[in-house]
Amino acid sequence: MKTICVYCGARPGASPLYADGARALAAALVEQNLALVYGGGKVGLMGVVADEVLRLGGEVTGVIPNALVEREVGHTGLTRQFIVKDMHERKAMMARLSDGFIAMPGGMGTLEELFEMLTWGQLGIHDKPVGLLNVGGFYERLAAFIGHARDEGFIGADHAARMLVADEPQALLARMRALAPAQPLYT
């Protein structure tokens, strides 16, 4: 793995734990020489993780739709910034540029991106690891729901197991490295 796509909130959330988690993830990425790919904004947790990776000397690639450059206050100090036509192009480019995906706390957009990558993995579009960084227990109920959907026969056990969950960035990255494919299916 060389690049990790991080999905997270354009808002900081109600607890300072979330920003602390974003900084911890950034430190783990830089320590492991992993470049960050993310949504290109400078606000909320997106801005925190990007700023910290940059502060620590890491590489950051942002991908942001033209319509969101002002709304999400597009980050202007990144290693690379791609301004694309729309959300579909954004998500496809982020997927192509990344060797794995991590969802930190966030809202509807974060969840939509997370589930799209899980679904693409289920469909064989990619075979890249997908993880949840469970900062402050944020994703415990979601993980329990996925388990419930598995138990009720709506998600296969192998597909449910594709969603890796860990409380600490180092542990999550170790699990992701163990599952990273030698050759990505999606290019």
Side-chain angles (χ1 to χ4, degrees):
M1 288 193 321
K2 295 180 181 178
T3 58
I4 297 292
C5 180
V6 175
Y7 303 123
C8 57
R11 296 179 180 192
S15 171
L17 285 175
Y18 303 133
D20 292 343
R23 284 188 286 274
L25 176 58
L29 292 173
V30 173
E31 179 181 298
Q32 296 187 30
N33 200 30
L34 294 167
L36 170 66
V37 175
Y38 85 116
K42 71 174 184 178
V43 296
L45 293 185
M46 288 196 308
V48 173
V49 72
D51 286 343
E52 188 68 2
V53 168
L54 291 167
R55 186 185 76 75
L56 295 171
E59 185 177 308
V60 180
T61 299
V63 183
I64 190 167
N66 190 48
L68 294 182
V69 170
E70 289 186 29
R71 186 175 180 189
E72 290 185 358
V73 192
H75 203 301
T76 57
L78 304 177
T79 311
R80 272 181 302 285
Q81 175 79 292
F82 296 99
I83 299 174
V84 296
K85 179 178 67 175
D86 56 30
M87 290 296 287
H88 296 291
E89 189 176 340
R90 177 195 215 181
K91 292 184 298 179
M93 179 178 270
M94 290 168 71
R96 277 193 308 275
L97 294 172
S98 303
D99 298 320
F101 309 93
I102 293 176
M104 287 198 56
M108 298 294 193
T110 301
L111 293 171
E112 188 268 338
E113 291 166 325
L114 165 69
F115 280 108
E116 183 166 50
M117 288 305 102
L118 288 168
T119 301
W120 285 13
Q122 179 178 319
L123 296 174
I125 296 171
H126 76 76
D127 193 24
K128 301 173 185 180
V130 180
L132 297 177
L133 186 56
N134 190 32
V135 178
F138 185 82
Y139 282 117
E140 287 176 8
R141 290 182 179 141
L142 180 62
F145 176 76
I146 296 300
H148 171 70
R150 177 201 60 224
D151 294 346
E152 291 298 317
F154 290 101
I155 299 175
D158 56 334
H159 295 138
R162 293 184 66 84
M163 190 175 78
L164 307 173
V165 183
D167 297 339
E168 298 297 327
Q170 298 287 4
L172 184 56
L173 290 170
R175 292 185 69 200
M176 292 175 72
R177 281 186 187 280
L179 293 178
Q183 295 291 324
L185 298 175
Y186 184 89
T187 57

